[in-house]
């Protein structure tokens, strides 16, 4: 099993450009999450999904959109990138069971200039 | 409000000495608590969790954590630190918001183990 994978690993964008980050998991997990990690702030939840075709907002959703068209994939989109979105983005997934343990991808480092 | 606090930005310890990384939480209902570790340029890895049962929880790589309900704490411990334990450690608590379960993470504590 590859677990949770993320593409790309690194990306540099100019202000106003758009891009999509892809998260894929092969563990048949129901729940998927997108976080951003900034120094001294831990991980903050951007959006999450509790199943195929459903998404919901987390703590910091502004400027981001998501889609979960297939159970194994969770896409994070930036329509018009801003320097404040420079961050490391992590995807995670978990089973529906009551362990609540999340499995994380390796991260995408995004720089917006 | 549901939250997690890690009061130390960094913990320094000599190799072979015991280590403690502190975590306190605020959550309604019974707490579900987690520790994750992040090595440089990697994603978070699960270390251990407390859901119910014994207050002392054992996890990966020789780590353990003690749940203290009266002090609302869940400190991470290891009897003898290794240089390879140097990493960023995150405490997390399950929170219920909007009818769904989510994890709230602390800001992280950087552990530096010196030879």
């Amino acid at each position: 099993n590859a677990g949770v994978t993320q593409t790309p690993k690194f990306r540099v964008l100019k202000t106003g450009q758009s891009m999509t980050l892809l998260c894929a998991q092969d563990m048949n997990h129901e729940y998927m999450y997108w976080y951003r990690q900034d120094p001294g702030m831990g991980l903050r939840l951007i959006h999450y999904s509790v199943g195929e075709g459903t998404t919901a907002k987390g703590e910091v959703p502004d400027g981001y959109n998501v889609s979960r068209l297939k159970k194994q994939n969770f896409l994070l989109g930036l329509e018009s990138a801003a320097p404040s979105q420079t961050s490391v983005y992590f995807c995670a997934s978990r089973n529906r069971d009551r362990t609540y343990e999340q499995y994380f991808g390796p991260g995408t480092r995004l720089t917006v200039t | 409000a549901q939250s997690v606090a890690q009061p130390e930005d960094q913990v320094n310890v000599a190799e072979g000495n015991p280590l403690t990384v502190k975590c306190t939480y605020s959550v309604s209902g019974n707490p579900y608590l987690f520790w994750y570790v992040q090595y440089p340029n990697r994603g978070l890895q699960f270390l251990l969790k407390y859901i119910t049962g014994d207050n002392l929880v054992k996890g990966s790589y020789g780590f353990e954590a003690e749940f203290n309900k009266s002090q609302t704490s869940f400190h991470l411990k290891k009897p003898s630190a290794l240089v390879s334990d140097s990493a960023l450690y995150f405490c997390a608590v399950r929170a219920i918001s909007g009818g769904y379960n989510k994890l709230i993470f602390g800001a992280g504590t950087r552990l530096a183990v010196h030879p």
Side-chain angles (χ1 to χ4, degrees):
Chain A
N1 284 356
V4 180
T5 57
Q6 293 181 232
T7 53
K9 289 186 168 51
F10 304 93
R11 186 72 185 267
V12 179
L13 286 180
K14 296 188 179 196
T15 298
Q17 287 185 318
S18 63
M19 78 163 295
T20 301
L21 281 67
L22 171 63
C23 175
Q25 52 94 4
D26 61 2
M27 296 173 283
N28 202 34
H29 285 170
E30 293 289 339
Y31 296 5
M32 296 186 75
Y33 307 83
W34 275 108
Y35 295 91
R36 59 177 290 173
Q37 183 182 28
D38 302 292
M41 302 189 74
L43 275 76
R44 292 182 292 168
L45 183 64
I46 304 172
H47 286 281
Y48 63 98
S49 169
V50 299
E52 182 179 321
T54 69
T55 63
K57 294 179 180 179
E59 300 173 67
V60 289
D62 294 343
Y64 305 95
N65 57 74
V66 288
S67 64
R68 183 105 180 263
L69 299 179
K70 294 182 178 180
K71 186 177 183 179
Q72 63 268 34
N73 295 340
F74 195 29
L75 279 63
L76 178 71
L78 287 72
E79 290 186 349
S80 180
S84 61
Q85 293 177 304
T86 294
S87 187
V88 181
Y89 292 85
F90 288 101
C91 177
S93 70
R94 75 168 179 92
N95 212 331
R96 189 194 290 274
D97 64 24
R98 290 184 175 273
T99 65
Y100 303 105
E101 179 183 334
Q102 294 185 16
Y103 295 79
F104 283 81
T108 295
R109 185 174 294 275
L110 175 66
T111 301
V112 183
T113 62
Chain B
Q2 301 173 106
S3 63
V4 175
Q6 293 181 243
E8 303 152 316
D9 290 337
Q10 179 150 334
V11 170
N12 296 298
V13 65
E15 188 174 31
N17 283 2
L19 69 88
T20 299
V21 182
K22 296 179 181 177
C23 171
T24 59
Y25 65 90
S26 173
V27 67
S28 54
N30 292 324
Y32 288 25
L33 297 155
F34 303 80
W35 276 102
Y36 283 82
V37 60
Q38 184 182 29
Y39 297 102
N41 301 313
R42 302 287 294 276
L44 276 68
Q45 296 178 31
F46 171 78
L47 270 182
L48 51 79
K49 65 178 180 282
Y50 172 84
I51 294 179
T52 187
D54 194 348
N55 289 347
L56 186 64
V57 179
K58 294 191 183 298
S60 306
Y61 311 121
F63 283 93
E64 57 191 26
E66 186 168 12
F67 170 62
N68 188 316
K69 188 172 183 177
S70 63
Q71 297 186 3
T72 61
S73 67
F74 189 55
H75 299 332
L76 182 70
K77 300 181 180 185
K78 187 172 183 181
S80 179
L82 299 172
V83 173
S84 57
D85 292 330
S86 299
L88 191 55
Y89 290 82
F90 290 97
C91 181
V93 65
R94 183 201 66 157
I96 299 175
S97 176
Y100 295 113
N101 292 286
K102 291 175 278 192
L103 289 184
I104 295 176
F105 287 85
T109 298
R110 189 165 300 281
L111 174 66
V113 182
H114 305 285

